[in-house]
Amino acid sequence: MEHITRTKVSDLLQSKDFGKEVLIKGWVRTRRGNKQVSFIAVNDGSVIHNIQVVAEVEKFNEELLRQVTTGSCIAVNGILVESPAQGQPVEIQAKEIALYGTADPETYPLQKKGHSLEFLREIAHLRPRTNTFGAILRIRHAMAFGIHKYFNDHGFYYLHTPVITGSDAEGAGALFRVSTLDAQNPPLKEDGTIDYSQDFFGKETKLTVSGQLEAELGALALSQVYTFSPTFRAENSNTPRHLAEFWMIEPEMAFCDINDNMDLAEDMLKFLMIYALEKCHEDLLFLQKMYDNELIERLEFVINNKFVRATYTEAVEILMKSGQSFEFPVNWGIDLQAEHEKYLVEKHFKKPVILTDYPKEIKAFYMKQNDDGKTVRAMDVLFPKIGEVIGGSQREENYKRLLQRTQEMHMPEKDIWWYLETRKFGTAPHSGFGLGFERLILFVTGMANIRDVIPFPRTPKNAEF
RNA sequence: UCCUCCUUAGCUCAGUUGGUUAGAGCAUCUGACUGUUAAUCAGAGGGUCGCUAGUUCAAGUCUAGCAGGGGGAGCCA
């Protein structure tokens, strides 16, 4: 059996080496047939399609064939032939079948027929074996690889930012505490509060919500860096667009203003859509057929249209003149709600939109203030269907103005003295943004729930697997 | 966290005004079929109706609480 090397199913399906002896290994999707012949569909995850193994029943041990059931794992040695039947270009005439692992058909939860996505979430340990999750996971890989490729090709350095942080500097939401103290009986200070000076790091530490502040430190030395890292939010968010643990991509560029920043965001997103269409065409076709019949059209739409750029103030005017009745009334100064963003993207502009120059009160302390004294150089990229996919800004590089904003927003200086020092020592104009990786994957796969685009989702009340 | 809907067989779902022994399709098992494609055909097995309490002669069905899940909203990426 092991005298030749294994070939991946993806390679065999394209092969024209008829008559050649091959070895495949994979998981059985279905077996059907009659007393004379068995057809075994085998998938090894290399491609969405299965390879059909044809076994003449009389040549094999009856007990062995009986155990080749949906979900079992086998190796097959045989001859690659052109398939005489419709449905597949090639198939394997089996000479030898080895069984690596059986799967009791009475208890194996995956059927050959479709399952609901909700049910598959309950068996996340097995759902990678479905066509849907095979496709999603291959696309997810391609997008991760594409992101590294894009930044590498554009002269960015991949900067590894810490996952454990001692500051809540970005203020992006509730944090998970990281501690080795005895939760039953923590050391207390005289005032009854927990004494974190006795904790592992000698201070209270959390899981990061963003690598941005550290990415800025990198940009102010290497000019162009990016992070691609897990981030954590302890918000009790129960929506199809939020995870407690998700991956974020954060480029940060010195000598770069808000317009350069927008150009980069648009160019990178378009590159990734093109990359997906090129590298994952069959998986996208499958997802389009099963879940979202406008998927490829939507990806091409993003590629072929220039993103609309408008200021927050212009957007507010459009919304006020729209005649729409919104649940949240519109006036200058409000944070735009999902319904407002949806109207702008899907009804008014009908294109991806980048909004800029938001009121400083609703944006983070580090964003560069405009000369009007009211707005900051923020930018949000809004996509159809999923809303905000990117949030970014030009950063405040002026030490005094940044310090003033940290004080106004009650940022503890002791936590971010190092960040402020970059503005004291060789400061430079710089910009960056954050891209939620799973939101990107939602858009590229056409999936509706973010729990279905990450292998093992972490959400409130759910850390199984 | 708020609003709303859902929870019945392994899966997807029916189940009438509360009323005898809770149904279907698929899956599984058995059998038939000389090349199948979500194969087809025949038969069989499979259920503490999410949990707890209550109303009632009687609860899958009505009420309350709890748990889990979906959709919408907020927080955001």
Side-chain angles (χ1 to χ4, degrees):
Chain A
M1 176 67 77
E2 303 286 348
H3 62 284
I4 52 172
T5 55
R6 168 184 166 245
T7 313
K8 286 189 293 177
V9 170
S10 56
D11 293 334
L12 279 185
L13 289 176
Q14 313 218 341
S15 173
K16 295 261 189 279
D17 288 335
F18 305 126
K20 186 185 173 189
E21 184 177 6
V22 295
L23 172 65
I24 61 130
K25 301 181 178 183
W27 292 267
V28 174
R29 288 295 173 80
T30 67
R31 180 167 68 87
R32 41 177 188 268
N34 52 42
K35 281 227 169 90
Q36 283 69 40
V37 62
S38 261
F39 301 97
I40 307 162
V42 179
N43 187 283
D44 66 0
S46 61
V47 63
I48 190 136
H49 306 293
N50 307 322
I51 191 143
Q52 173 159 282
V53 172
V54 183
E56 286 174 47
V57 172
E58 58 172 17
K59 291 186 185 168
F60 293 91
N61 180 293
E62 191 185 337
E63 178 61 19
L64 173 82
L65 275 187
R66 231 173 43 75
Q67 293 186 91
V68 176
T69 58
T70 300
S72 61
C73 186
I74 59 173
V76 179
N77 184 331
I79 304 298
L80 185 73
V81 298
E82 202 164 2
S83 179
Q86 298 273 310
Q88 57 280 319
V90 301
E91 62 189 32
I92 294 174
Q93 289 286 349
K95 286 165 63 179
E96 210 181 337
I97 296 176
L99 190 64
Y100 283 130
T102 59
D104 176 14
E106 296 272 8
T107 51
Y108 184 65
L110 287 171
Q111 308 167 173
K112 27 190 157 175
K113 280 206 165 188
H115 290 288
S116 68
L117 294 168
E118 290 84 358
F119 173 67
L120 292 176
R121 276 172 222 150
E122 293 171 11
I123 50 166
H125 58 310
L126 296 171
R127 71 178 183 172
R129 298 192 193 179
T130 62
N131 286 335
T132 296
F133 283 89
I136 290 167
L137 295 177
R138 282 185 295 271
I139 292 170
R140 189 179 159 101
H141 160 78
M143 289 295 90
F145 194 84
I147 284 162
H148 285 299
K149 176 173 167 50
Y150 180 86
F151 284 123
N152 184 60
D153 290 354
H154 286 74
F156 285 66
Y157 297 107
Y158 181 20
L159 183 76
H160 294 104
T161 51
V163 166
I164 297 170
T165 174
S167 66
D168 178 15
E170 217 212 345
L175 292 86
F176 290 101
R177 181 176 299 128
V178 176
S179 174
T180 56
L181 292 179
D182 180 1
Q184 300 291 330
N185 187 25
L188 300 178
K189 291 191 288 193
E190 281 182 10
D191 62 4
T193 59
I194 294 173
D195 182 7
Y196 287 106
S197 70
Q198 295 187 44
D199 206 345
F200 186 89
F201 294 105
K203 64 188 288 195
E204 189 175 6
T205 48
K206 310 285 182 65
L207 292 178
T208 185
V209 294
S210 164
Q212 182 199 311
L213 301 189
E214 288 91 350
E216 287 187 47
L217 313 185
L220 293 172
L222 299 168
S223 296
Q224 292 179 308
V225 301
Y226 70 104
T227 73
F228 190 160
S229 158
T231 50
F232 306 87
R233 305 281 163 92
E235 302 288 348
N236 190 11
S237 297
N238 294 287
T239 85
R241 297 179 310 284
H242 291 86
L243 291 164
E245 175 182 305
F246 65 101
W247 288 69
M248 194 149 61
I249 298 101
E250 295 175 291
E252 196 69 39
M253 300 85 69
F255 322 120
C256 172
D257 68 13
I258 181 87
N259 292 309
D260 303 323
N261 203 17
M262 286 191 278
D263 290 345
L264 181 82
E266 179 168 351
D267 188 57
M268 183 187 69
L269 288 169
K270 285 178 171 171
F271 168 83
L272 291 173
M273 305 293 125
I274 293 167
Y275 196 78
L277 286 172
E278 224 176 77
K279 303 289 179 187
C280 309
H281 195 66
E282 302 210 303
D283 289 324
L284 289 170
L285 281 175
F286 173 82
L287 294 173
Q288 171 163 266
K289 188 174 128 214
M290 300 301 286
Y291 297 99
D292 180 351
N293 54 24
E294 292 169 349
L295 176 58
I296 289 172
E297 199 183 316
R298 201 178 307 112
L299 299 182
E300 286 171 344
F301 183 78
V302 168
I303 294 166
N304 295 325
N305 282 283
K306 184 145 180 53
F307 295 6
V308 175
R309 298 182 185 187
T311 65
Y312 168 89
T313 302
E314 287 163 350
V316 166
E317 279 168 15
I318 289 165
L319 291 167
M320 294 206 301
K321 285 182 195 157
S322 69
Q324 296 277 313
S325 65
F326 293 111
E327 189 191 336
F328 295 89
V330 180
N331 55 65
W332 201 95
I334 63 153
D335 205 353
L336 296 181
Q337 303 295 315
E339 57 173 345
H340 305 136
E341 295 179 345
K342 218 176 183 72
Y343 175 83
L344 290 168
V345 173
E346 294 175 13
K347 295 241 172 71
H348 185 81
F349 290 117
K350 298 195 169 85
K351 279 179 193 170
V353 177
I354 310 181
L355 291 184
T356 59
D357 303 294
Y358 285 73
K360 67 178 178 185
E361 286 76 16
I362 60 172
K363 288 292 181 184
F365 75 97
Y366 50 73
M367 295 190 180
K368 184 174 174 63
Q369 297 172 62
N370 281 315
D371 294 335
D372 62 11
K374 295 192 299 189
T375 59
V376 291
R377 287 187 198 168
M379 60 155 218
D380 283 3
V381 180
L382 310 178
F383 260 28
K385 224 180 156 190
I386 58 166
E388 183 181 339
V389 66
I390 279 179
S393 70
Q394 185 167 343
R395 318 306 189 189
E396 182 58 76
E397 82 270 20
N398 179 286
Y399 176 72
K400 280 185 182 160
R401 297 176 81 167
L402 181 61
L403 186 63
Q404 188 195 338
R405 285 300 286 155
T406 61
Q407 287 162 352
E408 282 169 15
M409 299 176 88
H410 305 106
M411 307 286 309
E413 207 177 323
K414 67 173 174 52
D415 283 349
I416 53 164
W417 60 270
W418 44 271
Y419 181 74
L420 293 166
E421 276 205 354
T422 56
R423 273 65 168 173
K424 274 206 265 189
F425 304 131
T427 191
H430 63 289
S431 299
F433 62 79
L435 165 66
F437 187 56
E438 283 76 17
R439 295 241 175 119
L440 173 77
I441 306 301
L442 271 183
F443 186 78
V444 174
T445 58
M447 289 290 105
N449 194 312
I450 203 160
R451 292 157 199 207
D452 297 329
V453 296
I454 185 167
F456 306 105
R458 293 287 174 265
T459 53
K461 301 277 157 59
N462 183 10
E464 194 73 43
F465 309 107

